[in-house]
Amino acid sequence: MKKTFTISLGYSIFNVEEDAYKILKTYLDSIKNYFQKMENDSEIISDFELRIAENFSSKLSLGKQYINLSDVKEVIQIMGSLDDFKEIYDDLDDESFKENENSKGKLYRDSSNRIIAGVCSGMAEYFKIDPIIVRVIFFIAVPLNLLVYIILWIGVPSKDFDPDLRKILYRDKENGIIGGVAKGLSNYLKIDVNIIRVVFVVSLFFGGAGLLFYLLLWFFTKEAKTIGEKMNMSGFNVNLSNIEDFIKKKTKNLNSPENTLTKIFLFPFRIIAPIINAFLKIGVFVFKGVFFIVSSTFIVFYFILLLVFSRILFENVNREQDSDFYELLNAVPDYFAIFSIIFLILTIIISLIISFYVLFQRKSNFYFFMFLIFIWITFFILIIASIPNVIFILQDLDLLPFWISGFENNSFYYRWIF
Amino acid sequence: MSTENFKIQIRKGLLEFCVLQIISIKEVYASEIIEELKNSKIIVVEGTVYPLLSRLKKSNYIQHVWKESTQGPPRKYYSITNHGLEHLKELVVSWSDINSSVKKLLKTKK
């Protein structure tokens, strides 16, 4: 007994057995991917499916009402694999690919290979370079990058790029020693992993550039986890026969045995590896702890501020008790106080969400979170924009503390207004 | 260069020509084209025809109409356009040129 799936294919309905369905789906997906890349024409796919349906129909009879694995395999053989198509269309492809790229020459955020919002990866796709380069540049250009990133995040639409189309640097943790960076690089550059390891180690003695580079790569690359990513990393194209090959190779473990020299060379690193990993874990733990303590102090601090402000807003302070403070309170415009309070509430909520997220690895609603941050920034800007006004009111009432009025003519706000 | 590779290259070059030729004779639907090509061993796998049809359509060499069929879903019938006919004529000329020069070569060899 086997489970069957009911599928609709080219205007007909078929009952397909489970194992056959999986193969058929993989096949159709890879075909779809390929044709879309090639012609950007959905009609090809529907025509193609129609033909598969015809072939299936010829396999059915009164005695056999379902499609099984051998039917699917036969039909795939009749229709042809990606390699067959590539044989015919490869040199034509280059032209149409270029045309496609020219017409598609727009900047998108890459949702398929992203760390935060896919801005860097999208830019890399746009300039046809590896995302890692853009990420490192972004990381180094500290003051500008944040602004640019946020602007691009808001302004650029996201798009799923096909991972088979480009080669991406992944970390190969399975075959790596510490973080899999060297092994990933070797897959990417098609250089023997040991050479890269030697280069890394040698560069350690020249001011530690290798270490920095290693850490940067570690932070800015993703670990290859899915089978597609692993295949991409090793330079395979994802299609049906390749998936089978790849899995076979994986199970056979094709890694060539290391010679004695590399064994000796790698020995210290094999010893260090668990220590480094342990340190990393401790480091992450400490970071989380510190983060939690800092964020909770902030929260407590803001709560106190909030209480003070709400007192200020809703209760009159006694004139006799503290006359200076009373004057100051009356001078501060209401809108400023309201902005500040909303800003503080938002800060508390956001820090709570972040600390929950970091501590318990819960997922917050992403869009809600973005919305909060957006409002938070808005109020922050409102507060900053109203500060000069508040200062002038205070100045008029002669309430300005000396550390602001002291350099009145040179003050930032003074020059800003005039 | 193996014989297999040679065959692939030849088929590749002739595929467009043959498909246009088949369509120019009468209105056909995709499966008929495929049968014809398979019988004459121009194609090995069926899937290769579809991208080509889409390309020919984009270059405005062929057009299609949907027609009801007595059995199964409606079918897409392809026919050649005037533009396509002109293109085909050019292809026929260049094909016969090549064909005759190759034949000449073969004769001189003997």
Short mmCIF file of all heavy atoms in Angstrom, two decimals, chain A residues 237-279:
data_model
loop_
_atom_site.label_atom_id
_atom_site.label_comp_id
_atom_site.label_asym_id
_atom_site.label_seq_id
_atom_site.Cartn_x
_atom_site.Cartn_y
_atom_site.Cartn_z
N ASN A 237 25.43 21.97 -9.81
CA ASN A 237 24.19 22.61 -10.19
C ASN A 237 23.05 21.79 -9.62
O ASN A 237 23.10 20.58 -9.65
CB ASN A 237 24.05 22.64 -11.70
CG ASN A 237 24.21 24.04 -12.23
OD1 ASN A 237 23.84 24.99 -11.54
ND2 ASN A 237 24.75 24.15 -13.40
N VAL A 238 22.04 22.46 -9.11
CA VAL A 238 20.96 21.70 -8.49
C VAL A 238 20.05 21.15 -9.59
O VAL A 238 19.32 21.90 -10.20
CB VAL A 238 20.16 22.59 -7.53
CG1 VAL A 238 19.14 21.76 -6.81
CG2 VAL A 238 21.07 23.25 -6.54
N ASN A 239 20.13 19.90 -9.86
CA ASN A 239 19.08 19.27 -10.65
C ASN A 239 18.97 17.82 -10.23
O ASN A 239 19.73 17.34 -9.38
CB ASN A 239 19.30 19.43 -12.15
CG ASN A 239 20.47 18.63 -12.66
OD1 ASN A 239 20.79 17.56 -12.13
ND2 ASN A 239 21.13 19.14 -13.67
N LEU A 240 18.01 17.16 -10.83
CA LEU A 240 17.63 15.86 -10.31
C LEU A 240 18.80 14.89 -10.22
O LEU A 240 19.11 14.34 -9.17
CB LEU A 240 16.55 15.28 -11.21
CG LEU A 240 15.91 14.03 -10.66
CD1 LEU A 240 15.09 14.37 -9.45
CD2 LEU A 240 15.08 13.38 -11.72
N SER A 241 19.50 14.71 -11.35
CA SER A 241 20.55 13.70 -11.35
C SER A 241 21.67 14.12 -10.43
O SER A 241 22.30 13.30 -9.76
CB SER A 241 21.08 13.49 -12.77
OG SER A 241 21.58 14.69 -13.26
N ASN A 242 21.93 15.43 -10.38
CA ASN A 242 23.00 15.89 -9.51
C ASN A 242 22.67 15.67 -8.04
O ASN A 242 23.55 15.37 -7.25
CB ASN A 242 23.29 17.37 -9.75
CG ASN A 242 24.16 17.56 -10.96
OD1 ASN A 242 24.65 16.58 -11.52
ND2 ASN A 242 24.34 18.78 -11.38
N ILE A 243 21.41 15.87 -7.70
CA ILE A 243 21.03 15.64 -6.30
C ILE A 243 21.34 14.20 -5.94
O ILE A 243 21.96 13.91 -4.91
CB ILE A 243 19.54 15.96 -6.08
CG1 ILE A 243 19.32 17.46 -6.16
CG2 ILE A 243 19.09 15.46 -4.72
CD1 ILE A 243 17.89 17.88 -6.02
N GLU A 244 20.95 13.29 -6.82
CA GLU A 244 21.22 11.88 -6.55
C GLU A 244 22.73 11.63 -6.40
O GLU A 244 23.17 11.02 -5.43
CB GLU A 244 20.66 11.00 -7.67
CG GLU A 244 19.19 10.71 -7.48
CD GLU A 244 18.60 9.98 -8.67
OE1 GLU A 244 19.35 9.36 -9.42
OE2 GLU A 244 17.37 10.05 -8.84
N ASP A 245 23.50 12.15 -7.37
CA ASP A 245 24.95 11.98 -7.31
C ASP A 245 25.51 12.50 -6.01
O ASP A 245 26.33 11.86 -5.35
CB ASP A 245 25.65 12.78 -8.44
CG ASP A 245 25.49 12.07 -9.76
OD1 ASP A 245 24.96 10.95 -9.75
OD2 ASP A 245 25.88 12.65 -10.78
N PHE A 246 25.04 13.70 -5.67
CA PHE A 246 25.59 14.38 -4.51
C PHE A 246 25.34 13.57 -3.25
O PHE A 246 26.23 13.41 -2.41
CB PHE A 246 24.96 15.77 -4.39
CG PHE A 246 25.59 16.62 -3.35
CD1 PHE A 246 26.82 17.20 -3.59
CD2 PHE A 246 24.96 16.84 -2.14
CE1 PHE A 246 27.42 18.00 -2.64
CE2 PHE A 246 25.56 17.64 -1.19
CZ PHE A 246 26.78 18.22 -1.44
N ILE A 247 24.12 13.07 -3.14
CA ILE A 247 23.79 12.31 -1.94
C ILE A 247 24.63 11.04 -1.89
O ILE A 247 25.15 10.65 -0.84
CB ILE A 247 22.28 11.98 -1.91
CG1 ILE A 247 21.50 13.27 -1.69
CG2 ILE A 247 21.97 11.00 -0.81
CD1 ILE A 247 20.04 13.15 -1.89
N LYS A 248 24.82 10.41 -3.07
CA LYS A 248 25.65 9.21 -3.11
C LYS A 248 27.06 9.54 -2.61
O LYS A 248 27.64 8.83 -1.82
CB LYS A 248 25.71 8.68 -4.54
CG LYS A 248 24.69 7.60 -4.81
CD LYS A 248 24.87 7.08 -6.23
CE LYS A 248 23.51 6.84 -6.87
NZ LYS A 248 23.57 6.97 -8.33
N LYS A 249 27.61 10.63 -3.13
CA LYS A 249 28.96 11.02 -2.75
C LYS A 249 29.05 11.28 -1.26
O LYS A 249 29.99 10.90 -0.60
CB LYS A 249 29.39 12.28 -3.50
CG LYS A 249 29.99 11.95 -4.84
CD LYS A 249 30.53 13.17 -5.50
CE LYS A 249 30.87 12.87 -6.93
NZ LYS A 249 31.17 14.06 -7.70
N LYS A 250 28.03 11.96 -0.75
CA LYS A 250 28.00 12.29 0.68
C LYS A 250 28.09 11.03 1.50
O LYS A 250 28.82 10.94 2.46
CB LYS A 250 26.70 13.02 1.00
CG LYS A 250 26.79 14.52 0.85
CD LYS A 250 27.05 15.15 2.18
CE LYS A 250 28.27 15.94 2.09
NZ LYS A 250 28.53 17.09 2.70
N THR A 251 27.28 10.03 1.11
CA THR A 251 27.24 8.82 1.92
C THR A 251 28.53 8.04 1.78
O THR A 251 28.96 7.36 2.69
CB THR A 251 26.05 7.94 1.53
OG1 THR A 251 26.01 7.86 0.10
CG2 THR A 251 24.74 8.53 2.02
N LYS A 252 29.15 8.16 0.61
CA LYS A 252 30.40 7.41 0.41
C LYS A 252 31.59 8.08 1.09
O LYS A 252 32.61 7.47 1.30
CB LYS A 252 30.68 7.28 -1.08
CG LYS A 252 30.44 5.87 -1.61
CD LYS A 252 31.10 5.70 -2.95
CE LYS A 252 30.08 5.58 -4.06
NZ LYS A 252 30.65 5.81 -5.37
N ASN A 253 31.44 9.35 1.37
CA ASN A 253 32.52 10.15 1.96
C ASN A 253 33.76 10.14 1.07
O ASN A 253 34.67 9.34 1.25
CB ASN A 253 32.88 9.67 3.35
CG ASN A 253 33.78 10.66 4.04
OD1 ASN A 253 33.93 11.78 3.55
ND2 ASN A 253 34.36 10.26 5.16
N LEU A 254 33.73 11.04 0.12
CA LEU A 254 34.79 11.05 -0.88
C LEU A 254 36.06 11.77 -0.42
O LEU A 254 37.02 11.82 -1.16
CB LEU A 254 34.28 11.73 -2.15
CG LEU A 254 33.72 10.78 -3.20
CD1 LEU A 254 33.36 11.55 -4.44
CD2 LEU A 254 34.74 9.70 -3.54
N ASN A 255 36.03 12.32 0.79
CA ASN A 255 37.19 13.07 1.24
C ASN A 255 38.45 12.23 1.17
O ASN A 255 38.54 11.17 1.78
CB ASN A 255 36.99 13.56 2.68
CG ASN A 255 36.12 14.78 2.70
OD1 ASN A 255 35.77 15.31 1.64
ND2 ASN A 255 35.75 15.23 3.89
N SER A 256 39.41 12.72 0.43
CA SER A 256 40.64 11.96 0.29
C SER A 256 41.37 11.95 1.62
O SER A 256 41.34 12.93 2.37
CB SER A 256 41.51 12.58 -0.78
OG SER A 256 41.64 13.96 -0.51
N PRO A 257 42.03 10.84 1.93
CA PRO A 257 42.75 10.77 3.21
C PRO A 257 43.88 11.80 3.25
O PRO A 257 44.53 12.05 2.24
CB PRO A 257 43.29 9.34 3.23
CG PRO A 257 43.26 8.88 1.81
CD PRO A 257 42.15 9.61 1.16
N GLU A 258 44.09 12.38 4.41
CA GLU A 258 45.12 13.40 4.52
C GLU A 258 46.48 12.73 4.67
O GLU A 258 46.61 11.67 5.26
CB GLU A 258 44.85 14.26 5.75
CG GLU A 258 43.63 15.13 5.59
CD GLU A 258 43.12 15.63 6.92
OE1 GLU A 258 43.51 15.06 7.96
OE2 GLU A 258 42.35 16.59 6.92
N ASN A 259 47.49 13.40 4.12
CA ASN A 259 48.81 12.84 4.32
C ASN A 259 49.38 13.27 5.67
O ASN A 259 48.79 14.10 6.37
CB ASN A 259 49.75 13.22 3.16
CG ASN A 259 49.89 14.72 3.02
OD1 ASN A 259 49.90 15.42 4.03
ND2 ASN A 259 49.97 15.20 1.81
N THR A 260 50.50 12.68 6.03
CA THR A 260 51.03 12.88 7.37
C THR A 260 51.37 14.34 7.64
O THR A 260 51.14 14.84 8.74
CB THR A 260 52.31 12.05 7.60
OG1 THR A 260 52.48 11.19 6.48
CG2 THR A 260 52.22 11.24 8.86
N LEU A 261 51.90 15.00 6.62
CA LEU A 261 52.32 16.39 6.81
C LEU A 261 51.14 17.26 7.21
O LEU A 261 51.21 18.02 8.19
CB LEU A 261 52.96 16.91 5.51
CG LEU A 261 53.70 18.22 5.67
CD1 LEU A 261 54.98 18.01 6.49
CD2 LEU A 261 54.03 18.81 4.31
N THR A 262 50.05 17.12 6.46
CA THR A 262 48.88 17.94 6.80
C THR A 262 48.36 17.55 8.17
O THR A 262 47.88 18.38 8.92
CB THR A 262 47.76 17.78 5.77
OG1 THR A 262 47.68 16.43 5.39
CG2 THR A 262 48.00 18.65 4.58
N LYS A 263 48.46 16.25 8.49
CA LYS A 263 47.99 15.82 9.80
C LYS A 263 48.77 16.52 10.91
O LYS A 263 48.20 17.03 11.86
CB LYS A 263 48.14 14.30 9.94
CG LYS A 263 46.85 13.57 9.64
CD LYS A 263 47.00 12.10 9.92
CE LYS A 263 45.84 11.34 9.32
NZ LYS A 263 46.17 9.93 9.11
N ILE A 264 50.10 16.52 10.72
CA ILE A 264 50.95 17.19 11.72
C ILE A 264 50.63 18.67 11.77
O ILE A 264 50.48 19.26 12.84
CB ILE A 264 52.45 16.98 11.39
CG1 ILE A 264 52.80 15.50 11.54
CG2 ILE A 264 53.34 17.84 12.29
CD1 ILE A 264 54.15 15.15 10.97
N PHE A 265 50.48 19.22 10.58
CA PHE A 265 50.22 20.66 10.50
C PHE A 265 48.90 21.03 11.17
O PHE A 265 48.80 22.03 11.88
CB PHE A 265 50.20 21.07 9.02
CG PHE A 265 49.85 22.49 8.82
CD1 PHE A 265 50.76 23.49 9.13
CD2 PHE A 265 48.61 22.84 8.34
CE1 PHE A 265 50.44 24.80 8.95
CE2 PHE A 265 48.28 24.17 8.17
CZ PHE A 265 49.20 25.14 8.47
N LEU A 266 47.89 20.19 10.93
CA LEU A 266 46.56 20.53 11.44
C LEU A 266 46.38 20.15 12.90
O LEU A 266 45.43 20.59 13.54
CB LEU A 266 45.49 19.82 10.60
CG LEU A 266 45.32 20.38 9.20
CD1 LEU A 266 44.31 19.56 8.43
CD2 LEU A 266 44.87 21.83 9.25
N PHE A 267 47.32 19.34 13.40
CA PHE A 267 47.14 18.81 14.74
C PHE A 267 46.88 19.89 15.79
O PHE A 267 45.88 19.80 16.52
CB PHE A 267 48.36 17.96 15.12
CG PHE A 267 48.23 17.31 16.46
CD1 PHE A 267 47.27 16.32 16.66
CD2 PHE A 267 49.02 17.69 17.52
CE1 PHE A 267 47.13 15.72 17.90
CE2 PHE A 267 48.87 17.11 18.77
CZ PHE A 267 47.93 16.11 18.95
N PRO A 268 47.76 20.96 15.87
CA PRO A 268 47.48 21.98 16.89
C PRO A 268 46.10 22.59 16.74
O PRO A 268 45.44 22.89 17.74
CB PRO A 268 48.60 23.01 16.68
CG PRO A 268 49.22 22.67 15.39
CD PRO A 268 49.00 21.22 15.14
N PHE A 269 45.65 22.75 15.49
CA PHE A 269 44.35 23.39 15.30
C PHE A 269 43.21 22.49 15.73
O PHE A 269 42.20 22.94 16.24
CB PHE A 269 44.18 23.81 13.83
CG PHE A 269 45.13 24.89 13.45
CD1 PHE A 269 46.33 24.59 12.85
CD2 PHE A 269 44.83 26.20 13.78
CE1 PHE A 269 47.21 25.59 12.53
CE2 PHE A 269 45.72 27.20 13.47
CZ PHE A 269 46.92 26.90 12.85
N ARG A 270 43.41 21.20 15.53
CA ARG A 270 42.38 20.26 15.98
C ARG A 270 42.25 20.33 17.49
O ARG A 270 41.18 20.15 18.06
CB ARG A 270 42.74 18.84 15.55
CG ARG A 270 42.68 18.66 14.04
CD ARG A 270 41.80 17.48 13.65
NE ARG A 270 41.31 17.63 12.29
CZ ARG A 270 41.96 17.19 11.20
NH1 ARG A 270 43.11 16.57 11.32
NH2 ARG A 270 41.43 17.37 10.01
N ILE A 271 43.41 20.56 18.17
CA ILE A 271 43.36 20.66 19.63
C ILE A 271 42.71 21.98 20.04
O ILE A 271 41.87 22.02 20.93
CB ILE A 271 44.79 20.58 20.23
CG1 ILE A 271 45.36 19.20 19.95
CG2 ILE A 271 44.75 20.86 21.72
CD1 ILE A 271 46.79 19.05 20.40
N ILE A 272 43.09 23.04 19.32
CA ILE A 272 42.58 24.37 19.69
C ILE A 272 41.08 24.47 19.43
O ILE A 272 40.35 25.10 20.19
CB ILE A 272 43.31 25.47 18.89
CG1 ILE A 272 44.79 25.48 19.26
CG2 ILE A 272 42.72 26.84 19.20
CD1 ILE A 272 45.60 26.39 18.35
N ALA A 273 40.63 23.81 18.36
CA ALA A 273 39.25 23.99 17.92
C ALA A 273 38.20 23.90 19.03
O ALA A 273 37.40 24.82 19.18
CB ALA A 273 38.93 23.03 16.79
N PRO A 274 38.20 22.79 19.81
CA PRO A 274 37.17 22.74 20.85
C PRO A 274 37.29 23.87 21.86
O PRO A 274 36.27 24.39 22.34
CB PRO A 274 37.40 21.38 21.52
CG PRO A 274 38.60 20.79 20.92
CD PRO A 274 39.01 21.60 19.75
N ILE A 275 38.55 24.28 22.14
CA ILE A 275 38.74 25.37 23.10
C ILE A 275 38.13 26.65 22.56
O ILE A 275 37.39 27.36 23.25
CB ILE A 275 40.25 25.58 23.39
CG1 ILE A 275 40.86 24.27 23.91
CG2 ILE A 275 40.46 26.70 24.39
CD1 ILE A 275 42.35 24.30 24.04
N ILE A 276 38.43 26.91 21.28
CA ILE A 276 37.89 28.13 20.67
C ILE A 276 36.37 28.10 20.66
O ILE A 276 35.69 29.07 21.00
CB ILE A 276 38.43 28.30 19.24
CG1 ILE A 276 39.91 28.64 19.30
CG2 ILE A 276 37.67 29.39 18.50
CD1 ILE A 276 40.55 28.83 17.96
N ASN A 277 35.83 26.92 20.31
CA ASN A 277 34.38 26.81 20.29
C ASN A 277 33.79 27.04 21.67
O ASN A 277 32.77 27.70 21.83
CB ASN A 277 33.97 25.44 19.74
CG ASN A 277 33.99 25.43 18.23
OD1 ASN A 277 33.73 26.46 17.61
ND2 ASN A 277 34.33 24.31 17.65
N ALA A 278 34.49 26.48 22.70
CA ALA A 278 34.01 26.67 24.06
C ALA A 278 34.05 28.15 24.43
O ALA A 278 33.09 28.69 24.97
CB ALA A 278 34.88 25.87 25.03
N PHE A 279 35.18 28.81 24.06
CA PHE A 279 35.31 30.23 24.35
C PHE A 279 34.19 31.02 23.68
O PHE A 279 33.61 31.93 24.28
CB PHE A 279 36.66 30.76 23.86
CG PHE A 279 37.69 30.77 24.95
CD1 PHE A 279 38.81 29.95 24.89
CD2 PHE A 279 37.52 31.60 26.05
CE1 PHE A 279 39.74 29.94 25.90
CE2 PHE A 279 38.46 31.60 27.07
CZ PHE A 279 39.59 30.77 26.99
#
